[in-house]
């Protein structure tokens, strides 16, 4: 699994990872940002939209209409966030109806504005059930506008970062709604009736239909397959797929499906959706840092839940190394906090995986992991189940149930999907709690009696035989080499090999360990020959 490619300085460029652009337009200079919503500092109390915000929205509309992607990138990442912090840190942006008067009720711009408007409510406020329904309806309008053109594609152009955020937020709001409706006990009768009347709102089939439709419309899988075989993606793009809007939305929808299937607990299907995405090469996901991190988080988590710990470790180590080496580029991004949190979670997951399948990882990553989770790592090696549960609950996705709850039963079932996945994971962990301990004893001997090992482990001899079989089974995993991320060959993941004969355990280095030893001996012999020749001279 060749994730660990080197990152040179010239590899981290703005054309590969979108970086925040510093917007220096005079329209939004600091001296203009002096508005108080209580009616002070130069504005009458009845004015709802300050002049600087009105000017910003009109400028925003102008650039959307003119398809000026570069300026939109600056407006989206800097102008919008700057005004949000100054004017709307704890309140909603102006109502879309009021904004419509400023932009001549341009339907496309208002759909895009509502996407940002409701996203801000989810981020800074507490969305009501009406907000959740209205946001869902707006996403329907947006995707219908993009997908329902059967003759020619839309000429809309948006920055890659915004396109990723649209898909990311769409799935987040679906996830949030599933959690919200599961908390039946906290709902009043009006909310319950509204939920019953609108089973279509954030329905799992509708969400999956959007993602699959974007993939199909863009022909992104066909494009990736052609690229995988050495061809040009444009060969399979078609009229829609040739447009950046459709190509990138289709691609981000693949990552979105990976996430949704993980949230639903179907890890095989999650990785199956990635069959044409080559992780060991720089893909389109690398153009947006948040997408890059999300991809490896869910791929690594799916591997972990499928007991492919070696592949999970490589996936986590790869992206954590990337994040640490490019930190100075993305620490100015508005998504820096989200990326940092995902990194923390991946260090926790990697700590679990290394405890279950010890192996070498990059020294820089390993050093940070010891610094963050060194104490927990020692507890995991001792087989403390509570620590496994603690790290899993912190680092796992917040799982969801795809079906509505029984609204007649006043219980909160929001955490039940996560508890179920935790039980599944812990049942697997319990079967191999002694594997790291057995490995530590076997490394000390070339032969070891079963009775002696039983005494070390404080179990009976018959149980030792069972645990040795478990060791053999758990240290054989499917490992990715090439092709689809779901592919892989079974093989040992430990540097030890042994067999049991008449209750005597014969231990030897595995083929991999012997190869390392042979290499070391060859180089020692060469060194001794060089020293001997120098002495003779």
């Amino acid at each position: 699994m060749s994730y660990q490619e080197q990152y040179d300085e010239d590899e981290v460029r703005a054309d590969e990872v979108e970086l925040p652009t510093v917007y220096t337009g005079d329209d939004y200079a600091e001296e203009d940002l002096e508005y108080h919503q209580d009616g002070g500092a130069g504005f009458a109390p009845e004015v709802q939209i300050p002049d600087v915000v009105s000017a910003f929205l009109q400028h925003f509309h102008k650039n959307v209409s003119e398809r000026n992607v570069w300026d939109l990138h600056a407006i989206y990442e800097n102008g919008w966030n700057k005004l949000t912090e100054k004017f709307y840190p704890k309140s909603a942006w102006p109502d879309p109806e009021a904004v419509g008067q400023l932009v001549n009720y341009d339907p496309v711009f208002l759909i895009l504005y509502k996407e940002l408007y409701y996203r801000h409510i989810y981020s800074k406020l507490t969305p009501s059930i009406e907000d959740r329904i209205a946001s869902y309806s707006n996403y329907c309008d947006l995707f219908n506008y993009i997908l329902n053109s059967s003759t020619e594609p839309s000429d809309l152009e948006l920055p890659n970062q915004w396109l990723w955020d649209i898909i990311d937020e769409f799935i987040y709001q679906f996830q949030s709604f599933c959690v919200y409706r599961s908390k039946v006990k906290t709902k009043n009768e009006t909310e319950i009736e509204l939920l019953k009347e609108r089973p279509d709102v954030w329905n799992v089939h509708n969400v999956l239909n959007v993602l699959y439709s974007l993939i199909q419309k863009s022909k992104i899988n066909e494009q990736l397959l052609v690229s995988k075989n050495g061809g040009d993606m444009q060969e399979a793009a078609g009229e829609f797929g040739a447009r950046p809007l459709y190509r990138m939305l289709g691609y981000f929808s693949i990552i979105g499906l990976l996430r949704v299937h993980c949230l639903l607990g179907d890890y095989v299907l999650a990785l199956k959706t990635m069959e044409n995405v080559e992780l060991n090469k720089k893909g389109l996901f690398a153009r947006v840092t948040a997408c890059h991190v999300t991809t490896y988080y869910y791929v690594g988590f799916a591997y972990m839940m499928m007991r492919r710990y070696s592949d999970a470790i490589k996936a986590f180590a790869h992206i954590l190394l990337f994040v640490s080496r490019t930190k100075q580029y993305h620490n100015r991004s508005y998504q820096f906090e989200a990326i940092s949190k995902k990194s923390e979670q991946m260090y926790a997951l990697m700590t679990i995986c290394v405890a279950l399948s010890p192996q070498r990882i990059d020294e820089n990553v390993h050093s940070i992991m010891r610094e963050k989770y060194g104490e927990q790592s020692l507890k995991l090696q001792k087989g403390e189940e509570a620590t496994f549960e603690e790290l899993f609950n912190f680092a796992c996705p917040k799982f969801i149930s795809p079906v509505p709850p029984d609204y007649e039963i006043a219980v909160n079932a929001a955490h039940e999907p996560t508890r179920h996945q935790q039980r599944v994971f812990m049942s697997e962990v319990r079967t191999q709690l002694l594997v790291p301990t057995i490995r530590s004893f076997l490394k000390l001997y070339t032969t070891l009696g079963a009775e002696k090992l039983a005494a070390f482990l404080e179990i009976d001899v018959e149980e030792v035989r069972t645990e040795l079989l478990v060791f053999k089974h758990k240290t054989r995993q499917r490992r990715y080499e090439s092709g689809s991320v779901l592919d892989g060959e079974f093989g040992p993941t430990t540097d030890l090999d042994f067999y049991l004969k008449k209750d005597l355990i014969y231990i030897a280095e595995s083929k991999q360990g012997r190869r390392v030893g042979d290499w070391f001996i060859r180089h020692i012999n060469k060194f001794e020959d060089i020293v001997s020749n120098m002495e003779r001279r």
Side-chain angles (χ1 to χ4, degrees):
M1 190 175 195
S2 52
Y3 288 162
Q4 304 287 353
E5 71 264 28
Q6 297 298 314
Y7 287 95
D8 298 325
E9 288 298 328
D10 59 346
E11 288 183 300
V12 188
R13 299 193 301 265
D15 58 341
E16 293 178 347
V17 180
E18 291 205 358
L19 310 174
T21 305
V22 178
Y23 188 77
T24 57
D26 294 334
D27 291 337
Y28 316 111
E30 284 295 334
E31 57 268 21
D32 291 331
L33 304 180
E34 296 296 336
Y35 167 72
H36 300 278
Q37 289 191 337
D38 58 2
F43 291 99
E46 65 273 8
V47 176
Q48 295 184 355
I49 305 179
D51 291 344
V52 64
V53 175
S54 297
F56 168 80
L57 291 171
Q58 289 168 338
H59 180 64
F60 198 171
H61 172 242
K62 178 175 178 289
N63 281 276
V64 169
S65 302
E66 295 175 356
R67 310 309 193 228
N68 191 339
V69 178
W70 182 252
D71 279 358
L72 281 176
H73 181 82
I75 290 169
Y76 176 74
E77 284 215 4
N78 295 282
W80 177 271
N81 293 312
K82 196 175 192 180
L83 293 177
T84 295
E85 290 173 8
K86 193 69 179 180
F87 293 102
Y88 308 107
K90 296 181 180 179
S91 62
W93 269 72
D95 186 86
E97 181 64 28
V99 173
Q101 299 174 14
L102 297 174
V103 298
N104 298 322
Y105 293 98
D106 182 337
V108 175
F109 178 79
L110 286 178
I111 288 174
L112 295 174
Y113 175 76
K114 287 178 186 178
E115 196 273 329
L116 295 172
Y117 172 82
Y118 288 116
R119 194 199 307 177
H120 172 68
I121 290 176
Y122 271 84
S123 174
K124 303 293 185 181
L125 310 172
T126 302
S128 65
I129 188 170
E130 290 80 11
D131 291 327
R132 296 174 188 275
I133 293 173
S135 182
Y136 171 76
S137 299
N138 187 65
Y139 274 117
C140 290
D141 292 340
L142 174 61
F143 293 126
N144 283 335
Y145 168 74
I146 293 170
L147 292 168
N148 284 353
S149 177
S150 57
T151 55
E152 60 181 23
S154 166
D155 65 345
L156 179 65
E157 292 188 40
L158 297 174
N160 287 338
Q161 180 68 63
W162 194 353
L163 294 176
W164 162 252
D165 287 341
I166 285 173
I167 298 297
D168 185 58
E169 184 70 16
F170 177 64
I171 296 170
Y172 166 73
Q173 291 189 20
F174 161 62
Q175 181 184 12
S176 175
F177 185 81
C178 290
V179 173
Y180 168 79
R181 72 183 177 189
S182 298
K183 298 178 179 179
V184 181
K185 198 172 183 179
T186 61
K187 303 286 180 292
N188 57 43
E189 291 185 8
T190 305
E191 291 174 317
I192 294 291
E193 288 304 314
L194 196 51
L195 287 169
K196 288 180 179 178
E197 291 171 6
R198 295 296 305 274
D200 60 304
V201 174
W202 294 113
N203 180 280
V204 64
H205 297 104
N206 295 343
V207 171
L208 291 173
N209 182 55
V210 165
L211 299 175
Y212 279 111
S213 296
L214 288 168
I215 291 171
Q216 185 177 18
K217 196 80 168 179
S218 63
K219 293 189 175 180
I220 188 63
N221 272 323
E222 292 84 346
Q223 294 186 60
L224 292 173
L225 186 59
V226 168
S227 176
K228 205 175 186 179
N229 295 323
D232 184 357
M233 292 178 70
Q234 294 295 329
E235 296 173 11
E239 189 178 6
F240 286 84
R243 295 270 187 172
L245 175 76
Y246 290 88
R247 182 173 67 251
M248 296 310 297
L249 279 177
Y251 189 89
F252 293 146
S253 293
I254 293 176
I255 311 303
L257 279 177
L258 165 71
R259 178 180 173 185
V260 170
H261 290 311
C262 280
L263 294 177
L264 296 174
D266 192 338
Y267 307 108
V268 174
L269 186 55
L271 293 182
K272 180 69 175 174
T273 63
M274 298 281 291
E275 62 182 345
N276 292 318
V277 177
E278 297 180 276
L279 290 182
N280 54 2
K281 293 183 180 178
K282 283 205 174 99
L284 296 177
F285 54 75
R287 295 186 179 184
V288 179
T289 303
C291 178
H292 198 172
V293 172
T294 298
T295 301
Y296 278 92
Y297 169 80
Y298 284 102
V299 167
F301 186 81
Y303 276 143
M304 188 186 83
M305 295 299 285
M306 294 170 67
R307 204 174 63 79
R308 295 175 62 169
Y309 304 120
S310 181
D311 286 343
I313 290 168
K314 288 178 180 177
F316 293 139
H318 166 85
I319 192 62
L320 290 171
L321 182 62
F322 171 81
V323 170
S324 67
R325 290 187 176 180
T326 60
K327 189 174 182 178
Q328 69 273 25
Y329 294 97
H330 59 72
N331 62 6
R332 299 186 304 272
S333 170
Y334 67 97
Q335 291 194 325
F336 175 69
E337 288 186 11
I339 293 171
S340 297
K341 182 180 178 181
K342 272 285 178 284
S343 297
E344 291 286 330
Q345 290 177 308
M346 286 189 282
Y347 277 115
L349 292 174
M350 191 163 64
T351 303
I352 292 174
C353 292
V354 170
L356 295 173
S357 181
Q359 57 193 269
R360 290 183 178 276
I361 56 177
D362 179 86
E363 185 57 38
N364 293 328
V365 174
H366 191 233
S367 175
I368 297 173
M369 186 182 77
R370 283 200 311 267
E371 181 183 333
K372 292 180 179 293
Y373 297 105
E375 184 180 341
Q376 290 91 333
S377 180
L378 292 175
K379 292 180 180 178
L380 295 180
Q381 291 171 20
K382 294 177 183 176
E384 292 190 12
E385 293 186 23
T387 307
F388 276 103
E389 292 178 356
E390 176 191 342
L391 290 181
F392 182 85
N393 285 331
F394 164 71
C396 73
K398 299 306 174 263
F399 298 97
I400 55 177
S401 171
V403 296
D406 186 345
Y407 295 116
E408 303 302 323
I409 302 176
V411 295
N412 289 338
H415 299 296
E416 188 53 39
T418 299
R419 291 195 192 101
H420 174 71
Q421 293 298 324
Q422 179 192 300
R423 287 193 293 269
V424 170
F425 176 70
M426 289 306 300
S427 67
E428 174 62 35
V429 167
R430 290 187 188 101
T431 65
Q432 53 185 315
L433 282 177
L434 286 179
V435 168
T437 307
I438 292 173
R439 177 179 177 274
S440 65
F441 284 125
L442 295 183
K443 284 180 72 69
L444 301 175
Y445 297 88
T446 54
T447 58
L448 178 63
E451 289 186 2
K452 191 172 184 179
L453 181 58
F456 288 151
L457 299 174
E458 299 180 350
I459 57 178
D460 58 48
V461 175
E462 189 60 38
E463 196 171 346
V464 162
R465 298 190 189 100
T466 302
E467 291 297 337
L468 289 173
L469 289 174
V470 170
F471 184 99
K472 282 282 190 181
H473 175 249
K474 298 304 181 183
T475 55
R476 285 182 60 82
Q477 298 169 21
R478 190 185 294 275
R479 302 180 74 172
Y480 173 87
E481 294 297 338
S482 61
S484 167
V485 293
L486 199 55
D487 296 339
E489 297 294 329
F490 275 102
T493 60
T494 181
D495 54 357
L496 288 177
D497 200 1
F498 69 89
Y499 67 92
L500 182 66
K501 184 177 181 181
K502 294 183 179 179
D503 280 350
L504 188 61
I505 308 166
Y506 295 86
I507 306 144
E509 288 181 300
S510 65
K511 290 181 180 179
Q512 181 181 2
R514 283 199 298 271
R515 283 198 298 269
V516 174
D518 292 344
W519 178 90
F520 181 74
I521 291 169
R522 283 199 308 273
H523 282 70
I524 287 293
N525 291 336
K526 285 182 181 179
F527 178 73
E528 289 176 347
D529 290 342
I530 292 170
V531 171
S532 297
N533 290 334
M534 291 176 67
E535 289 176 346
R536 283 198 297 270
R537 290 175 185 174

